[in-house]
């Protein structure tokens, strides 16, 4: 997938992004927040697998709900169409065991001796469940629906597209991170002093990737787009369900 990488010049790469029509991209909200909070210059690398990537400056960032953000970037004639490819979207619900994949910049800076390379990594798995309520840690906004994924989303994959495996590539959501469920499997209480008790607990944890479904993305209203994401995609012929 011809996506975009979000980098902090010169070497730090913190997330992924992909095209949304016109000169807009979508990413995870916490990725954009990390950069804007640190008051750094935000640029996007427009990457094509057979060449080096171009760098486009981000003009404006808009934070949406569901841990999402819109990026308006400065495109110029050197940014050819194949460096800013736009895929269609579908909000058809995905059932458990449906095969999905994501491509992005997970730990995307690769070091060899004194050289640094940008690397794209692909992940494939299946839908584990569709949560009716999910809220990332520390987020003050209302909870939202989310897909649990059988693969963990490493650092840098946040903001990448969730797509189908078979047939024409269609976007079904945006990968935003991971969830963790814990279960207490052992607990022991021991008296170590006459007035002191030590409690030992052991947990098992299940970590799964998390993606925002297209149906949740569609409803986000954006002042940059001048419409909801759904209306913007429809205006640009990017609703795969309509084709």
């Amino acid at each position: 997938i011809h996506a975009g990488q979000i980098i902090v010049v010169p070497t730090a790469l913190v997330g992924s992004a992909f095209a949304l029509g016109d000169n807009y991209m979508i990413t995870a909200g916490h990725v954009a927040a990390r950069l804007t909070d640190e008051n750094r210059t935000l640029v996007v690398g427009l990457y094509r697998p057979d060449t080096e990537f171009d760098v486009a400056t981000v003009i404006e960032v808009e934070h949406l709900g569901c841990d999402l953000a819109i990026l308006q970037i400065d495109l110029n004639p050197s940014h050819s169409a194949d460096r800013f490819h736009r895929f269609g979207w579908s909000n058809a619900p995905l059932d458990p065991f449906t095969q999905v994949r994501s491509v992005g910049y997970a730990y995307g800076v690769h070091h060899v001796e004194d050289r640094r390379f940008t690397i794209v990594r692909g992940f494939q798995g299946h839908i584990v469940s569709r949560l009716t309520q999910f809220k990332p840690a520390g987020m003050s906004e209302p909870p939202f629906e989310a897909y649990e994924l059988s693969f963990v989303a490493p650092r840098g994959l946040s903001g990448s597209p969730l797509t189908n495996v078979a047939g024409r590539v269609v976007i079904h959501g945006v990968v935003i991170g991971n969830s963790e469920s814990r279960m207490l499997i052992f607990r022991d209480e021991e008296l170590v002093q006459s007035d002191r008790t030590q409690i030992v607990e052991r947990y098992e944890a299940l970590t799964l990737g998390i993606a925002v479904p297209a149906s949740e993305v569609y409803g986000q209203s954006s002042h940059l787009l001048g419409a909801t994401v759904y209306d913007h995609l429809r205006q640009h012929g990017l609703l795969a369900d309509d084709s």
Side-chain angles (χ1 to χ4, degrees):
I1 292 178
H2 307 304
Q5 61 180 3
I6 298 177
I7 61 177
V8 182
V9 179
T11 59
L13 191 154
V14 299
S16 302
F18 60 100
L20 201 61
D22 282 342
N23 60 328
Y24 299 104
M25 305 188 81
I26 191 166
T27 186
H30 67 271
V31 171
R34 175 181 170 186
L35 296 172
T36 53
D37 286 350
E38 293 176 1
N39 196 29
R40 292 174 171 177
T41 300
L42 180 62
V43 297
V44 175
L46 303 179
Y47 179 82
R48 194 177 69 191
D50 60 346
T51 64
E52 294 297 322
F53 62 83
D54 262 342
V55 171
T57 304
V58 175
I59 301 171
E60 190 170 350
V61 177
E62 179 183 9
H63 294 275
L64 308 178
C66 301
D67 193 22
L68 299 170
I70 300 292
L71 309 177
Q72 182 180 14
I73 69 171
D74 183 18
L75 287 179
N76 60 60
S78 71
H79 301 139
S80 57
D82 58 355
R83 287 178 179 262
F84 205 59
H85 190 81
R86 303 160 180 87
F87 289 95
W89 286 65
S90 171
N91 71 342
L94 301 180
D95 297 324
F97 301 111
T98 301
Q99 294 291 305
V100 291
R101 61 175 52 145
S102 189
V103 177
Y105 298 89
Y107 289 92
V109 178
H110 181 59
H111 298 262
V112 178
E113 296 179 340
D114 60 345
R115 292 170 293 172
R116 298 181 178 89
F117 304 90
T118 302
I119 183 169
V120 180
R121 290 189 166 99
F123 298 83
Q124 182 168 308
H126 63 265
I127 300 294
V128 174
S129 72
R130 183 163 182 163
L131 303 175
T132 58
Q133 298 280 299
F134 177 76
K135 187 172 183 175
M139 192 182 82
S140 59
E141 299 167 353
F144 50 88
E145 289 191 2
Y147 286 126
E148 287 186 323
L149 312 174
S150 63
F151 56 86
V152 174
R155 184 181 299 275
L157 193 66
S158 290
S160 63
L162 180 74
T163 73
N164 56 308
V165 170
R168 181 165 60 104
V169 176
V170 174
I171 295 169
H172 287 272
V174 182
V175 176
I176 60 167
N178 300 293
S179 70
E180 183 179 278
S181 300
R182 297 199 307 164
M183 176 183 293
L184 178 65
I185 61 171
F186 174 82
R187 188 176 192 276
D188 186 39
E189 187 173 319
E190 179 183 355
L191 184 67
V192 293
Q193 292 181 1
S194 59
D195 61 344
R196 182 181 172 194
T197 301
Q198 177 175 284
I199 299 175
V200 177
E201 294 182 339
R202 184 177 303 159
Y203 292 83
E204 283 186 350
L206 173 66
T207 303
L208 299 168
I210 289 288
V212 181
S215 57
E216 289 278 14
V217 181
Y218 282 3
Q220 300 301 312
S221 182
S222 164
H223 76 264
L224 282 179
L225 301 179
T228 64
V229 174
Y230 173 85
D231 287 337
H232 176 82
L233 293 172
R234 179 174 55 80
Q235 291 165 9
H236 291 79
L238 295 176
L239 295 179
D241 296 333
D242 292 346
S243 59

